[in-house]
Amino acid sequence: MVGSTGRCVFCGIVKKEIPAEIVYEDEFVVAFRDANPAAPVHILVVPREHIPTLNDIPLGNPVLSHIGSAVTRIAEDFGVAQSGYRFFINVNRGGGQVIFHLHAHLVSRTGTGEKIAKGD
């Protein structure tokens, strides 16, 4: 999704031009609470680099490794690592992707339901 300025919403959050509740960041990724959560813990993890979809990751780019490492750390920080959580990426409109900046969802098992099945 592109904001009213014509720019990527997630790029705006990464650059801190658009407010979000950031819960983790490092040199590769930024993680923040989903604005419309499907569960008590619903965090989005986005690469700082704008990559539209999973299909657009350049060969050899370690972005998924960085996302995965961030997710495991965030799951520990939010107390869901042991109780369980979902970690997924929607790809393209048919796969439920709404914002075309690669992002992973970390969603606690409590409260999940219909919204998860429908996508972002």
Side-chain angles (χ1 to χ4, degrees):
M1 177 162 56
V2 177
S4 59
T5 62
R7 295 185 320 197
C8 170
V9 172
F10 288 170
C11 286
I13 291 171
V14 166
K15 293 175 185 174
K16 298 187 178 164
E17 297 168 347
I18 296 173
E21 187 179 341
I22 295 174
V23 299
Y24 174 84
E25 61 184 313
D26 62 27
E27 62 186 293
F28 304 106
V29 301
V30 175
F32 49 91
R33 288 189 179 272
D34 190 294
N36 190 16
V41 176
H42 188 167
I43 307 296
L44 302 179
V45 182
V46 304
R48 289 185 180 275
E49 173 186 7
H50 181 86
I51 300 171
T53 77
L54 184 71
N55 296 335
D56 299 307
I57 298 172
L59 186 63
N61 186 320
V63 66
L64 289 180
S65 176
H66 295 300
I67 290 171
S69 294
V71 165
T72 57
R73 182 173 179 169
I74 295 163
E76 282 289 338
D77 290 348
F78 278 82
V80 298
Q82 300 306 314
S83 61
Y85 60 94
R86 295 184 67 196
F87 166 53
F88 61 93
I89 298 172
N90 295 323
V91 182
N92 288 325
R93 290 207 193 285
Q97 187 175 6
V98 175
I99 298 174
F100 285 82
H101 181 128
L102 176 66
H103 58 286
H105 296 256
L106 181 164
V107 182
S108 61
R109 294 296 296 168
T110 53
T112 60
E114 192 76 19
K115 185 175 186 304
I116 296 297
K118 291 180 181 176
D120 288 331

